DNA sequence: AACGAGGACGAAG
DNA sequence: CTTCGTCCTCGTT
């Protein structure tokens, strides 16, 4: 699926990790669709069978975009993206933080291997980035996140944007007159027929959008309070729940360092909104939510990390 | 303007 | 009594 973003794999080709790059490399390969072999940069381009895999596979190409030669993390959008975010905190960077020796047999506190921990953190971060990019594109193009709802005009806009963003060969009028529903119904083979050069890549990108919007529906609607029907839900428990599902909430809240229990609220308003929904408190906002978090300080449940940063907190007793 | 710390008070369990 | 929700003041980024 590396071919999902050919224009990007040229950014940081095979250098996936820091010195002991076997660690994350192997971890990522577990996530990748059917990737096998060490230099699996050119694994099969066949599309993922499930949405889950679609996103997972996309981590790889995104990983390339996030990782730069100087070894620092710059949450930079693809290609000539308009977005530019401040670099990640080096202290709590998931990758740098786990300096595992090349082995990969070492067990971290949780019983998981270090690479698995690193992988989780990379995943939650990257999922957040993917969702954010999609959100950005939606605003930019004035289209919905769900491709099924696209009009033929929306489809064209998306095609143009994707071509430009990922430096794909232009498809011209190959997909003209097609609505989102028809587009989504098309197989990879059909994509390839219409656009022999970039068809399969486009199909892969569309898959990402499909799976992303599928996960989006879960939090907009029911899922918010469906997790467990326990009555007295505590705020810290709620935050943990969100952190457990980076696929759905990764753009709102995510781990900076799961082992240490350090997490960052990326979208304070959204987290507060979700908390308000859960507690049936429509007037909830981050001001109030954060006050409750601060109550946890003296209770020894949550604290500010050693290096205090905005919107970053730490569970005193990480799992 | 948003975030952060913490006092005060009351509601709800 | 505990946990929050609400409101508020003042300091910091």
């Amino acid at each position: 699926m590396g071919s999902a973003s050919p224009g990007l794999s040229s950014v940081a080709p095979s250098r996936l990790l820091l010195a002991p790059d076997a660690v994350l490399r192997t971890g990522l390969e577990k996530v990748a669709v059917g990737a096998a072999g060490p230099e699996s940069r050119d694994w099969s381009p066949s599309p993922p069978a499930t949405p889950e895999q679609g996103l997972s596979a996309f981590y790889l190409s995104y990983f390339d975009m996030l990782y730069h030669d100087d070894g620092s993390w710059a949450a930079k959008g693809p290609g000539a993206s308009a977005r530019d975010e401040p670099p990640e905190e080096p202290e709590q960077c998931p990758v740098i933080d786990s300096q595992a020796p090349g082995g990969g047999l070492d067990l971290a506190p949780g019983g998981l291997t270090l690479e698995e921990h690193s992988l989780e953190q990379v995943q939650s971060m990257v999922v957040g980035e993917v969702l954010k990019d999609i959100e950005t594109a939606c605003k930019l193009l004035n289209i919905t996140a769900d491709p099924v709802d696209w009009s033929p005009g929306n489809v064209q806009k998306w095609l143009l944007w994707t071509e430009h963003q990922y430096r794909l060969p232009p498809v011209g009028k190959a997909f003209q007159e097609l609505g989102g529903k028809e587009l989504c119904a098309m197989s990879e083979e059909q994509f390839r027929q219409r656009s022999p050069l970039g068809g399969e890549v486009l199909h892969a990108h569309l898959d990402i959008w499909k799976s992303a919007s599928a996960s989006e529906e879960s939090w907009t609607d029911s899922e918010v309070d469906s997790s467990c029907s326990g009555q007295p839900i505590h705020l810290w428990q709620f935050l943990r729940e969100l952190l457990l599902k980076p696929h759905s909430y990764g753009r709102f809240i995510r781990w900076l360092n799961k082992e240490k229990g350090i997490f960052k609220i990326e979208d304070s308003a959204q987290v507060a909104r979700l908390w308000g929904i859960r507690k049936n408190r429509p007037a909830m906002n981050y001001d109030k939510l954060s006050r409750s978090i601060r109550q946890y300080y003296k209770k020894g449940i949550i604290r500010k990390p050693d290096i205090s940063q905005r919107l970053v907190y730490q569970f005193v007793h990480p799992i």
Side-chain angles (χ1 to χ4, degrees):
Chain A
M1 178 63 85
S3 61
S5 53
L8 295 160
S9 40
S10 60
V11 175
S14 59
R15 187 116 88 288
L16 274 176
L17 237 231
L18 306 173
D21 75 329
V23 177
L24 243 176
R25 172 81 68 97
T26 52
L28 282 165
E29 279 166 2
K30 281 182 201 160
V31 172
V33 191
E39 215 47 55
S40 50
R41 284 260 110 215
D42 21 36
W43 48 64
S44 156
S46 49
T50 73
E52 282 286 337
Q53 288 175 323
L55 263 189
S56 302
F58 192 60
Y59 299 158
L60 287 162
S61 53
Y62 235 82
F63 196 86
D64 280 354
M65 299 187 293
L66 290 168
Y67 188 71
H68 292 267
D69 283 356
D70 58 356
S72 70
W73 287 79
K76 230 176 122 191
S81 167
R83 273 186 331 101
D84 76 308
E85 289 195 353
E88 290 300 320
E89 315 72 4
E91 278 285 326
Q92 288 143 0
C93 167
V95 178
I96 295 176
D97 200 64
S98 57
Q99 313 120 326
L105 293 171
D106 317 75
L107 284 181
L112 295 170
T113 61
L114 283 171
E115 70 223 53
E116 282 167 333
H117 275 286
S118 303
L119 181 58
E120 279 179 42
Q121 290 171 355
V122 171
Q123 275 181 287
S124 66
M125 176 169 59
V126 172
V127 169
E129 291 299 322
V130 170
L131 295 175
K132 266 192 249 172
D133 267 3
I134 288 180
E135 205 178 12
T136 304
C138 287
K139 283 179 190 162
L140 202 73
L141 305 174
N142 192 26
I143 61 177
T144 63
D146 194 344
V148 174
D149 299 330
W150 292 347
S151 68
N154 294 156
V155 170
Q156 290 303 311
K157 278 199 273 186
W158 176 80
L159 285 168
L160 281 171
W161 179 83
T162 307
E163 284 168 14
H164 173 261
Q165 197 82 337
Y166 301 98
R167 310 285 150 77
L168 305 179
V171 294
K173 298 180 176 178
F175 294 88
Q176 214 164 29
E177 314 266 305
L178 274 176
K181 210 167 181 178
E182 292 83 7
L183 197 72
C184 289
M186 285 171 61
S187 69
E188 187 199 2
E189 188 52 42
Q190 289 170 302
F191 263 74
R192 213 179 340 229
Q193 279 167 12
R194 291 191 183 241
S195 174
L197 279 180
E200 57 188 52
V201 180
L202 278 173
H203 184 264
H205 276 285
L206 185 64
D207 247 5
I208 290 157
W209 279 68
K210 281 196 269 186
S211 56
S213 57
S215 75
E216 199 152 324
E217 273 152 33
S218 59
W219 58 263
T220 44
D221 301 341
S222 49
E223 168 117 35
V224 184
D225 49 357
S226 72
S227 18
C228 69
S229 354
Q231 318 308 63
I233 175 80
H234 292 281
L235 176 56
W236 63 269
Q237 293 176 313
F238 178 75
L239 295 175
R240 278 224 140 95
E241 280 181 20
L242 299 191
L243 286 162
L244 273 177
K245 300 172 182 171
H247 188 66
S248 301
Y249 309 110
R251 71 169 122 171
F252 303 150
I253 182 172
R254 66 162 224 261
W255 293 114
L256 288 188
N257 186 320
K258 194 171 181 181
E259 291 86 85
K260 293 180 184 170
I262 300 174
F263 62 96
K264 175 165 186 173
I265 295 173
E266 298 279 7
D267 190 329
S268 59
Q270 289 300 321
V271 172
R273 190 182 61 83
L274 293 173
W275 176 232
I277 291 172
R278 170 65 72 87
K279 291 292 294 290
N280 196 23
R281 257 318 103 104
M284 182 53 60
N285 57 28
Y286 181 69
D287 190 56
K288 297 169 191 170
L289 185 150
S290 64
R291 182 69 191 93
S292 290
I293 291 181
R294 270 176 256 128
Q295 294 288 156
Y296 286 145
Y297 291 174
K298 62 181 174 191
K299 293 174 193 164
I301 297 172
I302 289 178
R303 68 182 183 91
K304 270 291 192 180
D306 295 325
I307 1 79
S308 183
Q309 295 165 92
R310 282 192 141 201
L311 297 169
V312 176
Y313 297 91
Q314 175 172 196
F315 285 105
V316 176
H317 303 296
I319 294 186

